[in-house]
Amino acid sequence: MGGARGGWAGRGEAGRGDRDVRRGGGAHAHAHGAAGGGGAAQGGEMERFGGGAGGYEAAAAEQQLSRQQERHYRLLSELQALVKALPSSCQQRLSYTTLSDLALALLDGTVFEIVQGLLEIQHLTEKNLYSQRLQLHSEHRGLKQELFHRHKEAQQCCRPHNLPLLRAAQQREMEAVEQRIREEQRMMDEKIVLELDQKVIDQQSTLEKAGVSGFYITTNPQELTLQMNLLELIRKLQQKESESEKAFS
């Protein structure tokens, strides 16, 4: 009997154990399902959030592109209006494609800053060269005045019978000084031309590297005229942009 009770007790414990295992397994499965469902829901939220961010970025990029297109159209229209003020021979060289490419290069304003910097360098160079030429001219004028006064004093101290010889010698000296002055002026003018030519080359190279249509290193007079017209268009357009910014500020 004791063994039987023990057997029943064993089966009862075993039965309760089985039921506990089944209940535990069910609870574990329920918890796992709940966790899985929560993960799926969270994944759905993340997916929707990611999709929203991507959509926002796409919309922002589209708006940026639209603004650039509008700015390109406005710059192109303003360039076309400015070209009408140029001589007809220049207008023929400035095709729609050239102006459109120029408007594209001007979109972000960098070329405006580059041109402004180049013009400032050019003006400083011209001012410096002009000052050097004025300085040389002043030195030459002082040299001739000093020579004239020295000759005059020598003539006053000279005996009359030696005066013709003295004047002839002074004339030769004056001619030599004037020849020296002409040579120094010629060298100065050549220096000025070379430095200004180098500035033109620097401008051509810089604007070519910046992707500005029509600019490359050349000495062809027609191409130089075209580049000067393009620079003038950029400068005038920059002034209009600056005036517009001041009006809205």
Side-chain angles (χ1 to χ4, degrees):
M1 290 292 292
R5 285 197 296 271
W8 279 107
R11 286 196 295 273
E13 291 296 327
R16 285 195 298 272
D18 289 341
R19 288 192 297 273
D20 290 342
V21 168
R22 287 194 295 272
R23 284 196 299 271
H28 178 71
H30 178 72
H32 180 72
Q42 184 178 7
E45 290 296 327
M46 292 178 65
E47 184 178 355
R48 285 195 297 273
F49 179 77
Y56 175 78
E57 291 175 358
E62 186 176 350
Q63 289 179 355
Q64 177 68 15
L65 179 61
S66 177
R67 285 194 295 268
Q68 288 182 345
Q69 289 174 340
E70 290 176 1
R71 177 168 170 77
H72 175 256
Y73 177 77
R74 180 172 58 80
L75 290 173
L76 177 58
S77 298
E78 291 177 351
L79 285 171
Q80 289 174 322
L82 290 172
V83 165
K84 293 179 181 179
L86 297 175
S88 58
S89 58
C90 297
Q91 294 183 30
Q92 294 173 0
R93 297 290 311 279
L94 296 171
S95 65
Y96 176 88
T97 301
T98 300
L99 294 178
S100 179
D101 290 343
L102 179 58
L104 281 174
L106 298 174
L107 275 181
D108 64 355
T110 303
V111 173
F112 286 137
E113 297 177 1
I114 293 174
V115 170
Q116 182 64 31
L118 291 174
L119 290 177
E120 289 176 358
I121 292 173
Q122 178 181 334
H123 293 157
L124 288 174
T125 301
E126 291 174 351
K127 183 178 180 180
N128 181 46
L129 292 172
Y130 180 69
S131 297
Q132 291 181 30
R133 199 176 193 284
L134 284 180
Q135 178 65 27
L136 182 64
H137 181 69
S138 177
E139 291 175 0
H140 289 163
R141 185 173 61 250
L143 180 62
K144 291 178 70 174
Q145 288 177 351
E146 179 185 357
L147 184 61
F148 175 79
H149 291 147
R150 183 158 54 84
H151 285 178
K152 186 176 181 179
E153 291 177 357
Q155 290 175 14
Q156 290 174 349
C157 299
C158 181
R159 294 182 178 182
H161 65 277
N162 290 330
L163 196 56
L165 293 175
L166 177 63
R167 286 176 175 172
Q170 289 177 342
Q171 180 65 26
R172 289 192 296 270
E173 185 179 13
M174 180 63 75
E175 290 175 354
V177 168
E178 289 179 346
Q179 176 63 29
R180 169 190 163 188
I181 288 174
R182 286 193 296 269
E183 182 65 18
E184 289 181 354
Q185 287 178 341
R186 183 188 63 80
M187 293 175 62
M188 172 59 72
D189 290 341
E190 287 182 355
K191 175 187 176 183
I192 290 174
V193 170
L194 288 174
E195 289 201 28
L196 292 179
D197 285 347
Q198 184 59 49
K199 290 304 173 188
V200 171
I201 292 174
D202 293 343
Q203 291 175 356
Q204 291 171 334
S205 176
T206 300
L207 292 172
E208 181 183 15
K209 291 176 181 177
V212 183
S213 177
F215 284 91
Y216 60 95
I217 296 176
T218 179
T219 56
N220 185 302
Q222 292 182 344
E223 296 302 313
L224 288 174
T225 300
L226 177 64
Q227 291 178 353
M228 289 174 61
N229 288 326
L230 288 172
L231 273 178
E232 184 66 12
L233 290 176
I234 294 173
R235 189 185 64 81
K236 289 183 177 180
L237 194 55
Q238 183 180 18
Q239 289 179 345
K240 293 187 68 174
E241 291 279 302
S242 178
E243 291 172 359
S244 297
E245 290 177 0
K246 290 180 180 179
F248 286 104
S249 61

